[in-house]
Amino acid sequence: MRIIILTAPNFLSDEAEVLTQLLDHGLYRLHLRKPGCTEEELEALIRQIPPAYYPHISLHDHFILQARYRLGGIHLNSRNPNAPTGFRGMVSRSCHTLEEAVYYAPLTDYYFLSPIFDSISKQGYHAGFTDRQLRRAAEQGTINEKTVALGGISADKLPYLASLGFGGAAFLGDIWREYHSREDIPRVVGHLLRMIG
């Protein structure tokens, strides 16, 4: 199962260092998601990550930076629903219903389906699907290799997601909820290694 990590929405202490170490240790894909940040702020973070990892990075905002740094892809959502004209890189998208998943699957390299479980990072953001709905979607092929589970994802839920046929899992709150500084990097990297191990 492919493991994707989304950055915390706010900028963190020593963030480029921890992101680089996650990529050093085999992270499949990193999504730079900083809603409300400026282009300059996001560019400053990108410039601190070694260029060798740029193909493994997808942007949620400021798509002009994708071309400038030859990043691997872009992520479409309600803030940025369309790819730039002529874009040829990897495209992913947020989907919040099974109907959206069916519609966007042929138009993307992969897509997030969320929220699968109650959110870890957003208070009061509850699972959007029942176990029965997910199992039916799996039987119908709606959940497949292109489907990445997001929302309340933690390492202990990976076997369940694999049993449904999800192609990947995207982590946010479970990774960043106890991160404060450089001293927490070994714990975060260890967490990733247990997931991909």
Side-chain angles (χ1 to χ4, degrees):
M1 180 173 286
R2 294 168 296 175
I3 301 298
I4 295 172
I5 291 179
L6 284 78
T7 58
N10 53 313
F11 288 92
L12 304 175
S13 172
D14 305 303
E15 186 163 15
E17 184 177 347
V18 68
L19 297 179
T20 298
Q21 287 207 29
L22 289 167
L23 290 158
D24 281 343
H25 286 86
L27 177 63
Y28 169 72
R29 197 139 199 87
L30 172 66
H31 276 240
L32 294 183
R33 179 184 172 274
K34 302 286 186 187
C37 79
T38 66
E39 180 182 322
E40 292 74 20
E41 289 170 325
L42 191 57
E43 183 172 24
L45 177 59
I46 291 167
R47 290 173 62 104
Q48 294 176 68
I49 298 171
Y53 292 130
Y54 289 176
H56 300 278
I57 295 175
S58 287
L59 290 180
H60 284 229
D61 296 285
H62 305 299
F63 292 161
I64 193 168
L65 296 173
Q66 183 279 328
R68 189 176 301 160
Y69 290 94
R70 298 184 180 166
L71 303 177
I74 59 172
H75 184 82
L76 305 178
N77 51 38
S78 59
R79 288 190 318 278
N80 299 295
N82 300 306
T85 302
F87 179 74
R88 297 269 186 263
M90 185 174 281
V91 175
S92 57
R93 179 178 281 278
S94 296
C95 295
H96 301 292
T97 67
L98 294 169
E99 292 75 21
E100 282 183 318
V102 169
Y103 180 82
Y104 287 115
L107 307 173
T108 59
D109 292 285
Y110 62 91
Y111 60 90
F112 293 165
L113 183 62
S114 71
I116 301 300
F117 306 105
D118 291 353
S119 176
I120 295 169
S121 60
K122 298 178 184 176
Q123 289 281 2
Y125 196 56
H126 297 292
F129 310 93
T130 64
D131 175 70
R132 183 176 178 185
Q133 288 172 316
L134 292 174
R135 291 192 183 282
R136 183 172 168 87
E139 289 168 7
Q140 295 173 338
T142 302
I143 293 174
N144 56 52
E145 278 299 309
K146 281 188 164 188
T147 318
V148 176
L150 174 65
I153 307 299
S154 55
D156 61 305
K157 294 180 173 124
L158 293 178
Y160 171 72
L161 296 172
S163 77
L164 291 172
F166 279 93
F171 290 77
L172 176 55
D174 191 52
I175 292 289
W176 304 115
R177 65 180 161 182
E178 294 178 16
Y179 180 86
H180 302 290
S181 66
R182 176 179 284 118
E183 287 72 34
D184 297 313
I185 292 176
R187 180 189 55 76
V188 172
V189 169
H191 194 62
L192 170 68
L193 292 176
R194 285 190 296 278
M195 291 186 289
I196 64 177

